Amino acid sequence: MANKRIQGDPAKAIGYLRVSTDRQELGPDAQRKAIERWAAASGVTVAAWFSEVVSGGADIDERAALLDA
C-alpha cells in the first residue's frame, strides 16, 4: 500500500483511538482525553473521532476505523 500524503488544514485533526482489549490500562477514554488536551494546547480542532478494538499486530486492512479516518 503506497503512502498518500493529503494536505489539509493544520488546525484540524482526526482522533483515532485503538485498544486491543477492554481491560487495557489506557483505554479509549484516557486516549481521548490526552488527544483533547494536546489539541487544546496546540490550537487544533478535532474534526472527527474514530475508535476500534483491534490487536496492535493487526494488518492495516483489518483496521476499518483507521482506514475510515
Side-chain angles (χ1 to χ4, degrees), residues 8-41:
D9 184 346
K12 291 186 182 173
I14 301 298
Y16 174 68
L17 315 171
R18 186 200 63 79
V19 296
S20 55
T21 69
D22 290 335
R23 295 177 295 197
Q24 185 169 326
E25 185 177 326
L26 294 177
D29 291 338
Q31 292 176 32
R32 185 178 182 119
K33 287 176 185 173
I35 293 170
E36 288 172 338
R37 282 192 303 270
W38 166 82

Side-chain angles (χ1 to χ4, degrees), residues 42-66:
S42 301
V44 172
T45 300
V46 179
W49 291 93
F50 295 86
S51 177
E52 63 190 339
V53 177
V54 64
S55 168
D59 289 335
I60 190 79
D61 59 344
E62 296 175 35
R63 298 177 183 214
L66 178 59

